[in-house]
Amino acid sequence: MTITTTAPANRAALLVLADGRFPAGGHAHSGGAEAAVAAGRLYDATSLEAFCRGRLDTAGLVAAALAAAAAAGVDPLLLDEAADARTPSPALRATARKLGRQMMRAARACWPSPVLDALAAARPRGAHQPVVLGVTASAAGLGPLDAAHAAAYEAVSGPATAAVRLLSLDPFDATAVLARLAPDLDRVAQQAVDSARLALDSDVDALPAASAPLLEIAAERHAAWPVRLFAS
Amino acid sequence: MHLDHPETYPQRYSHPSPATALSGKHPAPTSSSAPTVRPDGTRRALRIGLGGPVGSGKTATVAAICRQLRDELSIAVVTNDIYTREDAEFLLRNAVLPAERITAVETGACPHTAIRDDISANLEAVEDLEETVGPLDLVLVESGGDNLTATFSKGLVDAQIFVIDVAGGDKIPRKGGPGVSTADLLVVNKTDLAPLVGADLGVMARDARTQRGELPVAFTSLTEPDGIAPVIGWVRERLAGWTAAAA
């Protein structure tokens, strides 16, 4: 029996970046789960899985592709505009920039880099979070596939954590949902990298523009709630 | 009501540098790791966190501090409600500060995370306030009502006040926990209710001393005229230390 001893470069840095405790503000966001719970669409582990699958193949794929392209060296400011174009809801655009700014703060503390400084200077109010994530990944010595994995995982881990808090869902059930999604996360990450490669060779229009209208509409309504637990 | 010790004590978990230890002086009155200079080169405001259990009077304490000091200082407040905006709206309704000086941060059902483990949203709120209404002298960061283990990160605030109340039971100081034992100031609020709930203020003071050593304790009754005075005295000391450190 042979044991593979070579790991992708800087694998441990990916663990740091993708850790749910990475202090970049994600804990206060439900990724649409709070609105879905209130609407009765998310109520148990099965519906959580369906919600996560839907989010992964839409918002998750777009985020992963943006992150991968940023890590691959596509101009982050062009990607930031591409992210705007792919986010119809003003509330979600504001959320993405807010989280991008928070990610930037953590990123510059962890992996100081002129690329991060330049993006922070160009977008002092925050660039879209997946773009910042991708630039962060490259500052951490990670590649496009790593960035895509981190973005894709975040797209489903946020709602799963929120569902545990909102529904008192069994945390083992919620985490099992994430484990079942792992092959799909790998698939989406690969898909994201393929499109990032196209974007690098042509332009950002090559990136996916998958959209989940219900997530966008619900986010607008959620942002107007007078009382809520999560920021989005 | 009394303020245990008039002088400023060393911050929790901060150790005097060899130089200050040798000279016998207290370290500078800040333990925050946050940069003290803003991007434009000016010194940022002193940041004080207020934590404590639900209903102990954190918001009332914030309101009283603002009313007392707003005419002489430029103040802003960040609230971290469990349910968004309730505390911010209380402050607005009572008009303790103009609306542009109050920001609410959402905490995703985990108020302690937002003040300790992941402070990024709060830091942004503080910095945005300094940018939009600044320059500021004092920023109060009020945590959402939480449990006895909630404390503020040194990356967010320079000093923290932990607010408990006599109606929560006179055994709270004995129970301790990081908030009670390490906060820079422990406020025991609602002393006027002590006879009604059978709380023994002497026991609370003794237990607090056991938990906190030399760290100060203030007993307050905000329903009395100038009931906030002991806290104001402590805040003024902190401000003086903050200003002196800049000089």
Side-chain angles (χ1 to χ4, degrees), chain A residues 21-29 34 98 101-103 105 125 165 223 225-231, chain B residues 82-86 89 104 106-110 113-114 117-124 127-128 131:
Chain A
R21 296 186 183 193
F22 191 73
H27 72 94
H29 295 260
E34 185 169 31
K98 207 171 162 184
R101 190 176 164 202
Q102 288 174 254
M103 164 72 68
R105 183 189 294 274
R125 310 294 305 170
R165 297 188 203 159
W225 289 6
V227 167
R228 54 178 188 257
L229 285 171
F230 289 86
Chain B
I82 298 178
Y83 259 143
T84 330
R85 296 193 180 104
E86 175 92 18
E89 270 160 22
E106 288 127 327
T107 60
C110 272
T113 305
D117 311 77
D118 182 352
I119 57 176
S120 54
N122 268 299
L123 279 174
E124 242 122 68
E127 290 172 6
D128 283 352
E131 215 169 276

Side-chain angles (χ1 to χ4, degrees), chain A residues 158-177:
Chain A
T161 310
V164 169
R165 297 188 203 159
L166 290 163
L167 297 167
S168 302
L169 208 62
D170 184 331
F172 298 113
D173 291 343
T175 306
V177 165

Side-chain angles (χ1 to χ4, degrees), chain A:
Chain A
M1 184 180 140
T2 57
I3 296 172
T4 310
T5 52
T6 52
N10 300 313
R11 175 172 278 178
L14 177 58
L15 294 178
V16 175
L17 178 60
D19 190 335
R21 296 186 183 193
F22 191 73
H27 72 94
H29 295 260
S30 76
E34 185 169 31
V37 166
R41 290 190 291 273
L42 204 176
Y43 46 87
D44 61 3
T46 309
S47 51
L48 172 65
E49 183 163 345
F51 179 88
C52 286
R53 279 187 195 286
R55 189 159 200 268
L56 176 62
D57 272 303
T58 53
L61 172 64
V62 172
L66 288 165
V74 177
D75 181 351
L77 298 182
L78 287 179
L79 289 171
D80 196 43
E81 286 172 16
D84 261 344
R86 284 160 176 75
T87 315
S89 152
L92 285 184
R93 286 203 294 272
T95 295
R97 291 191 180 282
K98 207 171 162 184
L99 283 172
R101 190 176 164 202
Q102 288 174 254
M103 164 72 68
M104 179 61 85
R105 183 189 294 274
R108 290 170 88 186
C110 295
W111 298 284
S113 140
V115 203
L116 286 168
D117 294 345
L119 180 56
R123 291 283 181 276
R125 310 294 305 170
H128 276 259
Q129 193 266 4
V131 179
V132 181
L133 176 61
V135 175
T136 302
S138 88
L142 297 166
L145 186 59
D146 299 316
H149 265 112
Y153 179 61
E154 208 170 61
V156 293
S157 62
T161 310
V164 169
R165 297 188 203 159
L166 290 163
L167 297 167
S168 302
L169 208 62
D170 184 331
F172 298 113
D173 291 343
T175 306
V177 165
L178 295 177
R180 277 198 296 278
L181 285 169
D184 294 285
L185 290 166
D186 290 333
R187 169 181 56 78
V188 165
Q190 190 55 56
Q191 215 175 321
V193 170
D194 292 344
S195 69
R197 207 166 279 136
L198 284 177
L200 195 60
D201 294 338
S202 55
D203 64 69
V204 294
D205 289 348
L207 297 175
S211 156
L214 209 48
L215 277 180
E216 303 275 340
I217 294 164
E220 281 301 304
R221 299 179 64 169
H222 181 266
W225 289 6
V227 167
R228 54 178 188 257
L229 285 171
F230 289 86
S232 77

